[in-house]
Amino acid sequence: MVRERKLSPQTIAVLDALAAQPDSWRYGYELCGQVGLKAGSMYPILVRLAERGLLETRWETEQPAGRPPRHLYRLSGQGHELARSITPTRARRARSPRPRLEGA
Amino acid sequence: MLLLMVFVTLLVACLAVVVAGWVARVRHEIRRRELDLPAYLLDVATRLLPAERREWGAAMRAELAHIDHGPARWSFTAGATWAAALPSPRRPAVFVVAGLGTLVSGAAAVAAYRFVPEALLFVVTTGVVLTGYLTVRVAWPVSTPVVRSGRLFGVVMLLGTAGCVAAVCYAVRTHPAAGRDPARLFNMVLAVVVIGYVVLAARARRADFRVLGWAAVAATGCAAVWAVPALSRPLGVDGLPESTFLAAGAVILLAAVPAAAVTGTWRAGGRVGLWSGLLAALAVFLLGMLNTLADQAYVLDNPDDVIAFDRSGTADLAGFVIGDNLGGLVLALVWIPVVATSLGLLGGALGAGLHPRYRRTRDLAAELMRG
C-alpha cells in the first residue's frame, strides 16, 4: 500500500516521463535530459519512488564495451496506478480557468 | 602572544602539509585507476553512502561512465554528489541527534553563562562543533567493525578529555582572571582541540588492536618515565622537566618499531605515536593543571611575565599565572601528539624493514608448535 503523500511537480514530471513509455527501461541520465532535471534532483526522486515500490529497477545486461552496465528504471504496477491517478487530476486543473482577482 | 603566533604557524604548516599530501594522493589515485577528476570525486562521495544506498552510488558512477562530454560530466558529478550527500530519510536518528545536540548545547551555554561566563565561548564552540560532528556521523555511518580494546582506549581518552575540561572549568571558576586574554582566545582553540580528541576517541574503537596494544605499551612507558621525577621531588608550576620529554620520546620511538614490524606497514608506527601521544598529552595537561592549581605561592620569576602582568590590568596574580600556564598546556595538547606521531613514523620506517624477519620467525614458531 502506497502511503498518500503530496507529490512534488518534479516527481510528477518523472512519473509522467516514465508512464509515457511504460514498457521501456530508462536510465537516469536519459530521464534527466527528458524532464530537464539535474542529477541532484533526479536521483533522490528515483530513490524515493523505488523505496515506495513505485519503480522496478535492474542493471543493463548488454554491457557496452569498456563501460559499466547502467541502472535501469520503469514504473511498477503501483507506479502505473499512481501515474494514471495523477494525470486526470492534472488535466482537470489545466482545463479549469484560474479565478480572477476582483479589482486587480 | 608569542605562544599564539607559534600555534597559528604550526597549525598553518600542518594544514599545508595535509593539503599537499591530499592533492598528491588524489593525483596518484586518478593515475592509478585511470579516472578523471569528476569520476574520482563521485567515487569518493558515493563510497560514503550507507549500505542501503550503495547500489544507487554504483548506478550514478555507471551513468557517469557513459557521459563523454566534459561540461556534462562535471554537471552530472555535481548533481550526483549532492544527491549522495543528502542523508537518507530512513535515518530519523539524524534529526533526533541534531535536535538533542542543539538542546544540550543550548542548556550548557545557559549554564556556562550563569556559572562560568569566562568559559561561555568554549562551551558554545564545543557544543556547535560536536553537534555537527555527531549529526554527520549518524547521517553517514561507518561500517568498520568495532574492536574491544579500541573501545577501552576510546573510553580512557574520553575520560581524560572530560578531566581536562573539568580542570579548565574549575580553574576559570576559582580564578576568573585565568579566563581573560590571552586565555580567552584559547577558549576557542581548546574547544577545537577537545572536539579533535573526542573524534579521535571515537575512531580509536575501530583501530588495529595490535597498534593500540603497542600504543598502550608506549603510553605506560611514558607514564613510568614521568612518574619517576614526580615521585622523587615536588614539581613546580612548570611541571615536568625537559629530560622526561626526551625519555618519553625515546619510549614512543621504540614502541613504534615492533608495531610496524608486526603489521608490515610503517604507518602503524605513526599510529602508535599518535595514540600514545594523545594519551601522553592528556596526562601532561591534567598533571600540569593539578600542579598549577595546587601551587599556593604564585610568583613571577621572568621579567617578560612581570611586564605582561602589569599590562593585563588584573590584580589576581594566581589567575594570571594559571591562565598563562593554561595557554601552554592547551598547546601541549596539540604539539605532543604531533611530535609523537613524527617519532612514531620514524620508528615505523625502521620497523617495517623488520617485517620479513618477523614473518619468518612467526612461521618457524608455528612449525615448531605443530611439530
Side-chain angles (χ1 to χ4, degrees):
Chain A
M1 180 69 192
V2 180
R3 192 149 46 113
E4 284 298 324
R5 193 183 289 174
K6 197 181 172 195
L7 298 169
S8 69
Q10 290 87 353
T11 307
I12 293 170
V14 173
L15 283 171
D16 277 350
L18 288 163
Q21 297 170 41
D23 295 326
S24 5
W25 289 93
R26 317 286 298 279
Y27 54 91
Y29 190 59
E30 178 194 16
L31 285 167
C32 287
Q34 186 181 342
V35 180
L37 286 178
K38 300 272 184 195
S41 305
M42 176 60 73
Y43 278 95
I45 289 172
L46 291 175
V47 171
R48 277 198 297 274
L49 291 178
E51 284 176 351
R52 294 175 68 191
L54 300 170
L55 272 191
E56 288 175 4
T57 64
R58 74 169 174 89
W59 289 93
E60 220 170 20
T61 44
E62 58 283 2
Q63 189 174 338
R67 301 190 197 223
R70 282 177 291 203
H71 208 211
L72 303 173
Y73 319 97
R74 74 176 183 191
L75 288 179
S76 65
Q78 278 185 325
H80 277 298
E81 271 177 40
L82 183 67
R84 271 199 296 271
S85 70
I86 288 166
T87 313
T89 315
R90 294 182 73 202
R92 227 179 11 254
R93 273 195 201 139
R95 276 199 303 273
S96 62
R98 283 186 179 183
R100 288 175 63 184
L101 292 175
E102 292 298 323
Chain B
M1 196 62 192
L2 181 68
L3 276 176
L4 186 67
M5 281 173 67
V6 169
F7 180 76
V8 170
T9 312
L10 263 176
L11 201 66
V12 170
C14 286
L15 278 176
V17 169
V18 168
V19 169
W22 182 77
V23 169
R25 189 179 162 187
V26 167
R27 291 182 65 167
H28 172 73
E29 278 289 299
I30 286 175
R31 267 201 306 272
R32 188 177 66 82
R33 296 166 57 190
E34 297 178 352
L35 299 171
D36 62 353
L37 193 54
Y40 176 79
L41 292 175
L42 185 58
D43 187 55
V44 171
T46 51
R47 224 185 289 157
L48 299 171
L49 284 169
E52 73 264 16
R53 287 278 172 91
R54 294 260 161 81
E55 192 181 37
W56 289 96
M60 291 189 281
R61 288 198 300 272
E63 203 72 66
L64 180 65
H66 287 263
I67 304 170
D68 295 319
H69 186 50
R73 284 179 69 75
W74 274 108
S75 168
F76 184 86
T77 300
T81 304
W82 169 248
L86 289 174
S88 165
R90 282 186 180 178
R91 295 193 181 281
V94 171
F95 302 102
V96 173
V97 169
L100 269 179
T102 308
L103 273 176
V104 172
S105 303
V110 170
Y113 180 73
R114 174 80 178 80
F115 300 109
V116 201
E118 288 79 10
L120 181 62
L121 197 57
F122 166 69
V123 172
V124 169
T125 312
T126 310
V128 168
V129 180
L130 200 57
T131 302
Y133 170 75
L134 290 174
T135 308
V136 167
R137 292 305 324 161
V138 174
W140 296 280
V142 181
S143 53
T144 323
V146 172
V147 183
R148 191 180 292 171
S149 56
R151 192 175 283 160
L152 181 67
F153 208 93
V155 167
V156 172
M157 270 189 70
L158 282 178
L159 286 175
T161 310
C164 291
V165 173
V168 171
C169 287
Y170 177 77
V172 175
R173 175 103 175 108
T174 51
H175 299 278
R180 294 209 180 107
D181 279 333
R184 178 165 290 190
L185 192 60
F186 279 98
N187 268 339
M188 282 187 74
V189 177
L190 180 63
V192 173
V193 171
V194 163
I195 295 298
Y197 273 71
V198 171
V199 169
L200 287 167
R203 284 190 71 113
R205 297 181 308 150
R206 301 171 196 282
D208 187 330
F209 71 94
R210 294 168 297 181
V211 167
L212 290 177
W214 284 107
V217 168
T220 311
C222 289
V225 163
W226 283 328
V228 173
L231 293 174
S232 59
R233 65 179 176 80
L235 293 173
V237 173
D238 290 335
L240 300 159
E242 283 81 4
S243 58
T244 55
F245 284 92
L246 289 174
V251 168
I252 290 171
L253 181 72
L254 288 175
V257 175
V262 169
T263 54
T265 167
W266 53 271
R267 289 188 188 92
R271 290 186 188 120
V272 166
L274 173 69
W275 295 121
S276 55
L278 290 168
L279 284 187
L282 287 171
V284 166
F285 189 96
L286 286 170
L287 197 57
M289 281 305 284
L290 286 175
N291 271 325
T292 307
L293 292 170
D295 195 359
Q296 297 299 317
Y298 296 98
V299 285
L300 296 171
D301 48 6
N302 184 333
D304 290 338
D305 287 345
V306 175
I307 296 167
F309 177 62
D310 286 340
R311 282 183 185 162
S312 70
T314 178
D316 181 5
L317 177 62
F320 177 81
V321 173
I322 292 170
D324 195 37
N325 284 352
L326 177 61
L329 290 170
V330 170
L331 291 187
L333 286 175
V334 178
W335 73 257
I336 289 179
V338 170
V339 172
T341 305
S342 310
L343 288 169
L345 286 171
L346 188 63
L350 295 171
L354 299 172
H355 183 59
R357 194 172 292 178
Y358 162 76
R359 284 184 63 182
R360 276 200 300 275
T361 313
R362 189 190 58 186
D363 294 345
L364 189 65
E367 271 181 35
L368 285 172
M369 290 288 281
R370 277 198 298 271

